[in-house]
């Protein structure tokens, strides 16, 4: 079965930087879009950044200029470089992907287990 595994979360001081990684494992055939979402306690899960198979990037306004999403198709991986972090960025960050697997001929959505990012003031 395909699964997404995030890494790189942790505790960082305001103004600092942190990099998140997510890799898809299993019988992956093709990945369309990959994205990062986040969810803070009591808040709705929100899209942070998304990147298409063609490399088109989209960001939520609050992170523009501070976060950068990238992907490595050969590794079935997506990354999120975060800088100038603010306490408001504190949340559980989730990796997301729409992909085809050898086990399922139709595109399906997968989620990672989430990684905690805490930004202290």
């Amino acid at each position: 079965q395909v699964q997404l595994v995030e890494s790189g979360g942790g505790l960082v001081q305001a103004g600092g930087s942190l990099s998140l990684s997510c890799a898809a494992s299993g019988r992956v055939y093709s990945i369309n879009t990959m994205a990062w979402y986040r969810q803070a306690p009591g808040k709705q899960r929100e899209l942070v950044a998304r990147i298409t198979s063609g490399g088109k990037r989209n960001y939520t306004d609050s992170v523009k200029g501070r976060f950068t999403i990238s992907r490595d198709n050969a590794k079935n991986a997506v990354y999120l470089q975060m800088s100038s972090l603010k306490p408001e960025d504190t949340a559980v960050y989730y990796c997301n992907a729409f992909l085809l697997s050898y086990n399922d001929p139709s595109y399906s959505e997968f989620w990672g287990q989430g990684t905690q990012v805490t930004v202290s003031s």
Side-chain angles (χ1 to χ4, degrees):
Q1 176 70 294
V2 173
Q3 65 179 56
L4 306 180
V5 180
E6 304 101 331
S7 63
L11 176 65
V12 64
Q13 292 186 344
S17 299
L18 205 60
S19 295
L20 305 182
S21 299
C22 172
S25 63
R27 305 186 72 221
V28 177
Y29 177 75
S30 180
I31 302 178
N32 194 338
T33 60
M34 301 189 82
W36 288 96
Y37 287 74
R38 67 186 180 187
Q39 186 168 24
K43 301 292 182 64
Q44 287 286 108
R45 185 173 299 187
E46 67 170 343
L47 175 66
V48 177
R50 182 177 63 209
I51 184 167
T52 69
S53 60
K56 178 66 176 180
R57 297 168 171 83
N58 290 289
Y59 301 92
T60 188
D61 287 342
S62 64
V63 308
K64 287 181 179 178
R66 300 189 298 120
F67 291 11
T68 301
I69 188 171
S70 61
R71 64 190 287 171
D72 186 335
N73 292 332
K75 297 180 179 179
N76 290 330
V78 63
Y79 310 95
L80 187 67
Q81 175 63 49
M82 305 181 290
S83 62
S84 300
L85 283 163
K86 305 174 181 179
E88 305 91 270
D89 296 317
T90 296
V92 176
Y93 284 69
Y94 297 90
C95 179
N96 170 272
F98 282 87
L99 56 81
L100 289 170
S101 71
Y102 290 103
N103 297 326
D104 188 349
S106 61
Y107 276 97
S108 298
E109 184 177 24
F110 288 84
W111 292 90
Q113 82 286 353
T115 185
Q116 177 71 46
V117 172
T118 302
V119 184
S120 62
S121 60

